[in-house]
Amino acid sequence: MHLRADVCERADGHRIEPYYVWEVRDFVHAVPVLEDGRIVLVRQYRHATGMFGLEFPGGILDEGEDPLIGARRELREECGATGGEWSHLASFYPNPARQTNQFKCYLGRGVKLDTVTKFDANEELEVHTLTVTELDAAIADGTFHQGPHIAAFLMARPLLDA
């Protein structure tokens, strides 16, 4: 990651200096759905907020990595899941005011929990599976609380059987 200090000048001539921009690689998340319709999630601690929460498996893409390959890699590493039929859900900027990266989301239908996990050294994850209705409730009660993950679910939700 790289933090740069820019001079931001508006059309009316007003200057904001320094204007900090965080340059970071794109990241990807899988919305993995098992054959029975349950959605695969991970629960992990996020130090910046001091909170545990449910989220989709994913992470920062390796340099030059194809986003779909990255989504499937993250799913295998974090959840021990493979296979499925994949489609692109959306790509968007999670914070265009301060960040340069994009968030890329993929839906995987018919994935299987069929291999071992391979966590990064800084990861301590629990794999969970929820129905669409249970994930709706997790959003409502705050246990599924990250904005980009909620956006990915809302993009996938019309495609999922309730």
Side-chain angles (χ1 to χ4, degrees):
M1 87 174 170
H2 176 76
L3 185 66
R4 73 175 196 245
D6 288 352
V7 175
C8 177
E9 187 169 344
R10 297 187 327 204
D12 66 3
H14 179 77
R15 292 170 61 105
I16 304 167
E17 187 175 6
Y19 190 92
Y20 293 103
V21 176
W22 182 24
E23 295 176 346
V24 65
R25 287 195 308 261
D26 291 347
F27 62 106
V28 66
H29 282 95
V31 179
V33 183
L34 299 171
E35 291 175 334
D36 67 1
R38 295 180 70 80
I39 300 164
V40 181
L41 302 158
V42 293
R43 181 178 183 268
Q44 68 179 312
Y45 178 74
R46 294 300 189 183
H47 183 73
T49 59
M51 298 171 63
F52 282 91
L54 292 170
E55 56 192 60
F56 292 121
I60 294 176
L61 290 166
D62 292 338
E63 190 68 39
E65 185 175 32
D66 177 89
L68 177 55
I69 291 171
R72 296 180 74 163
R73 174 184 53 76
E74 290 284 351
L75 177 62
R76 184 180 63 256
E77 291 173 359
E78 294 184 357
C79 300
T82 64
E85 294 181 23
W86 291 83
S87 59
H88 180 254
L89 280 173
S91 294
F92 54 89
Y93 294 93
N95 184 7
R98 296 286 179 188
Q99 292 173 222
T100 60
N101 63 333
Q102 278 194 324
F103 173 76
K104 298 168 186 294
C105 319
Y106 291 87
L107 174 64
R109 295 174 186 249
V111 302
K112 293 182 169 86
L113 295 170
D114 61 358
T115 191
V116 296
T117 57
K118 184 180 174 187
F119 300 149
D120 291 339
N122 64 335
E123 290 178 323
E124 185 178 355
L125 308 173
E126 295 174 359
V127 177
H128 291 254
T129 63
L130 299 180
T131 66
V132 170
T133 301
E134 289 168 336
L135 191 46
D136 286 336
I139 293 169
D141 73 18
T143 56
F144 188 82
H145 55 256
Q146 289 190 45
H149 295 255
I150 293 170
F153 177 63
L154 294 177
M155 297 295 292
R157 195 163 190 327
L159 306 172
L160 304 173
D161 296 327

